[in-house]
C-alpha cells in the first residue's frame, strides 16, 4: 500500500476514536467526588475502586496480566540470545 492510503486509514481511525471519546457519556460531574476505597460492614461498596477494578474489570485485568507476563518472558528469552562470529544463534 502507498503511504497516502495508510495515512488516510490511520486518520479515519483517529477521527472515529476522537469522536467516540468526545460523544460518550462518561457520567462525570463538574465537581470532584470522593471515591470510597474500602469495605463497609464486610461488604464491598459498588462505587469503590476495589469493586470497579476487580469485580467489573477482573477478566480484562487477568488477560492483560497474562499477556504482559508472556511479553516479559519473551523479552528475557530474546535478550539472552547471542550470535556467534559465523552468524549462528547461540543460547546461554
Amino acid at each position: 500500500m502507498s503511504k497516502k492510503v495508510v495515512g488516510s486509514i490511520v486518520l479515519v481511525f483517529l477521527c472515529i476514536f476522537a469522536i467516540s471519546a468526545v460523544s460518550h457519556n462518561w457520567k462525570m460531574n463538574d465537581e470532584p467526588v470522593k471515591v470510597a476505597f474500602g469495605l463497609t460492614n464486610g461488604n464491598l461498596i459498588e462505587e469503590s475502586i476495589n469493586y470497579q477494578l476487580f469485580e467489573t474489570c477482573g477478566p480484562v485485568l487477568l488477560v492483560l496480566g497474562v499477556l504482559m507476563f508472556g511479553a516479559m518472558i519473551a523479552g528475557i528469552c530474546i535478550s539472552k540470545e547471542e550470535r556467534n562470529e559465523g552468524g549462528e544463534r547461540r543460547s546461554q
Side-chain angles (χ1 to χ4, degrees), residues 21-67:
V22 169
S23 65
H24 182 71
N25 182 11
W26 294 99
K27 298 179 184 176
M28 291 187 196
N29 299 331
D30 291 335
E31 55 210 40
V33 178
K34 183 178 179 182
V35 178
F37 186 73
L39 299 171
T40 303
N41 298 330
N43 296 326
L44 275 175
I45 304 170
E46 289 190 13
E47 291 84 23
S48 70
I49 295 172
N50 298 335
Y51 184 85
Q52 294 298 324
L53 278 177
F54 299 111
E55 299 292 328
T56 306
C57 304
V60 175
L61 289 176
L62 180 65
V63 170
L64 286 176
V66 169
L67 181 71

Side-chain angles (χ1 to χ4, degrees), residues 61-91:
L61 289 176
L62 180 65
V63 170
L64 286 176
V66 169
L67 181 71
M68 297 306 284
F69 181 73
M72 277 191 334
I73 297 299
I76 291 169
C77 290
I78 289 173
S79 68
K80 287 191 172 198
E81 287 185 359
E82 292 183 2
R83 294 192 180 260
N84 291 335
E85 293 177 7
E88 300 171 355
R89 288 186 183 174
R90 178 176 57 112
S91 220

